[in-house]
Amino acid sequence: MKKLFALVLAGVMAFSLVACGGGEQDQGGADDKQGDDKLKVQLIVTNLGDKSFNDSANAGLLKAEKELGIEYKCVEFGMDYSKTEITMQEAAEDGYDIVISQNLGFGKATAWLKENAANYKDTTFIIYDEPVEVNEQENVQFLCYKANESDFLAGALAAKMSETGIISFVGGMEAPVVHDFLVGYIQGAQYVNPDIKVNVSYVQNYTDATKGKELGNAAITAGADFVHAVAGGAGNGALEAAMEKGKIGIGVDSDQYEFFKDSKPELANSIITSSIKNVGQSIYMVLEDMINGKYVWQPQIWFGMPEKCCGIAENENYQKLVSEDIRAEMDAIEEKLISGEISVKSAYGMSAEEINDLVESAK
């Protein structure tokens, strides 16, 4: 926190110099401005290479390293969540100004922060994708995303283009963050086709691509011609099932077409779009505000379409596979979401019974 304050003060002084006629002085680039005071940032993830959630966070921090001049390190600690607490502690004690992670161990990271964040006042902890917990410690920042609105668009597109009248949703864990996608997906599908059927299944983790593929194949056997994977690395198996059976995949979090188009072009070409939760963009925006002195702490910061952190990927494959008329309809729906003309329910605050009722309505 001390270094953040120093950077904020430096930013204010630089602004004052310009305002007082000192603008001709060379302010230099990001590295020159910060010198030895550049922010030391560590990202903690289970693993990179998921072509989705973790890779998005890493991409945002690599961009910050290049453009904002931060000192960046990424730590991959695997799937042994018993190491969450010690990993968080080591990062704090290693002198990092900012430690960033998702809520590792399905709550272990935030539990550790509740007990220990106050002991590391010089470290700011950023937990992304945690809309459930609230932590009133000012060195703990939660970043949250309106994934229900992204998936409203994904569901509307799938239902609009489906030839069988059956689409599918392959989720990771049965958790609020996944349910929020699901709730939006079903609402969007029913918005354009009240009679649409949605096949819903869960891998029960975010890494088992084999199980994801099994569930994708099962949905296709049941008639689904669109397979929406919301399961991290496990979801890549569901996308492969869609590709192999000549069906259409919808990715999640990152633009998965872009991730796969060079390494797996056949898979990429079967992914019509992705429901975006741009973790990397949100992290970059927060770090940029911190460095520029614009950051204001609040328990939760919500990101959505106006910040370009939510929506659907409109890449070259989307342009190729989606007709101009349907693209225009999707644009109109997005405008209504942004304006509030369309209101999307969120899984946060919904009971299990309400979510189940919604699923049953499209079964």
Side-chain angles (χ1 to χ4, degrees):
M1 294 295 283
K2 290 179 181 177
K3 186 174 290 186
L4 284 178
F5 177 77
L7 285 169
V8 169
L9 182 61
V12 172
M13 291 176 65
F15 176 80
S16 298
L17 283 172
V18 173
C20 295
E24 295 182 0
Q25 296 182 14
D26 182 11
Q27 298 298 320
D31 287 330
D32 294 331
K33 282 192 295 182
Q34 295 174 28
D36 293 336
D37 288 329
K38 65 171 60 177
L39 287 179
K40 292 182 62 179
V41 182
Q42 182 177 121
L43 172 67
I44 304 171
V45 297
T46 50
N47 59 279
L48 296 177
D50 64 348
K51 308 297 183 184
S52 180
F53 197 68
N54 294 332
D55 285 353
S56 175
N58 183 55
L61 282 158
L62 289 173
K63 179 183 177 183
E65 182 179 44
K66 179 180 179 180
E67 297 182 4
L68 303 179
I70 67 170
E71 183 178 326
Y72 171 52
K73 178 181 179 180
C74 180
V75 172
E76 302 177 71
F77 81 109
M79 299 304 296
D80 183 359
Y81 291 120
S82 68
K83 298 191 299 182
T84 298
E85 294 88 344
I86 188 63
T87 303
M88 297 287 291
Q89 181 178 332
E90 288 175 350
E93 292 182 349
D94 281 346
Y96 285 91
D97 303 300
I98 302 176
V99 175
I100 304 172
S101 74
Q102 62 189 102
N103 195 356
L104 301 166
F106 308 104
K108 288 183 179 291
T110 54
W112 184 86
L113 288 172
K114 284 181 181 179
E115 296 295 326
N116 298 280
N119 298 325
Y120 302 98
K121 289 295 188 181
D122 291 340
T123 301
T124 297
F125 299 91
I126 297 176
I127 303 294
Y128 56 88
D129 206 28
E130 181 44 82
V132 179
E133 292 286 340
V134 175
N135 192 316
E136 295 294 341
Q137 299 177 87
E138 292 192 4
N139 64 330
V140 178
Q141 179 66 75
F142 289 157
L143 310 184
C144 316
Y145 310 89
K146 298 177 181 179
N148 58 328
E149 294 185 356
S150 296
D151 248 42
F152 189 96
L153 290 172
L157 178 66
K160 190 72 179 177
M161 295 186 65
S162 175
E163 296 180 356
T164 65
I166 304 173
I167 60 177
S168 72
F169 180 98
V170 179
M173 301 288 290
E174 293 188 62
V177 290
V178 174
H179 285 155
D180 206 43
F181 281 101
L182 174 63
V183 167
Y185 188 66
I186 294 175
Q187 288 179 91
Q190 292 178 333
Y191 179 81
V192 300
N193 180 3
D195 297 322
I196 195 72
K197 304 302 178 187
V198 184
N199 182 295
V200 179
S201 59
Y202 298 93
V203 182
Q204 300 302 347
N205 61 61
Y206 298 100
T207 57
D208 189 348
T210 300
K211 180 66 177 296
K213 189 171 185 177
E214 290 175 2
L215 295 177
N217 280 322
I220 293 168
T221 299
D225 54 356
F226 277 74
V227 177
H228 181 24
V230 184
N236 295 337
L239 295 176
E240 287 184 1
M243 173 197 70
E244 292 175 1
K245 295 295 176 63
K247 307 303 178 183
I248 301 296
I250 298 177
V252 74
D253 293 333
S254 302
D255 184 345
Q256 294 195 279
Y257 166 78
E258 289 292 338
F259 267 122
F260 286 119
K261 72 175 185 178
D262 294 327
S263 60
K264 296 182 178 181
E266 187 178 0
L267 175 60
N269 289 335
S270 69
I271 301 174
I272 196 168
T273 190
S274 294
S275 178
I276 299 297
K277 181 187 285 185
N278 197 338
V279 172
Q281 169 72 359
S282 68
I283 292 173
Y284 180 92
M285 290 174 67
V286 170
L287 292 180
E288 184 178 39
D289 281 352
M290 287 178 169
I291 290 171
N292 292 335
K294 297 180 179 179
Y295 169 72
V296 177
W297 177 86
Q298 49 192 301
Q300 296 173 318
I301 301 176
W302 283 88
F303 295 89
M305 292 180 185
E307 296 82 16
K308 306 297 183 184
C309 290
C310 293
I312 56 173
E314 300 180 8
N315 52 46
E316 59 189 352
N317 209 40
Y318 175 83
Q319 304 294 327
K320 180 175 70 174
L321 297 179
V322 183
S323 71
E324 184 176 352
D325 287 346
I326 293 179
R327 293 201 307 270
E329 288 186 52
M330 298 305 298
D331 290 343
I333 292 173
E334 181 175 352
E335 289 176 6
K336 290 178 181 179
L337 287 168
I338 293 173
S339 71
E341 183 177 342
I342 295 177
S343 179
V344 187
K345 292 181 180 178
S346 172
Y348 306 120
M350 292 179 69
S351 67
E353 183 179 5
E354 289 174 312
I355 294 172
N356 185 64
D357 287 345
L358 181 63
V359 171
E360 289 293 324
S361 72
K363 203 164 188 178

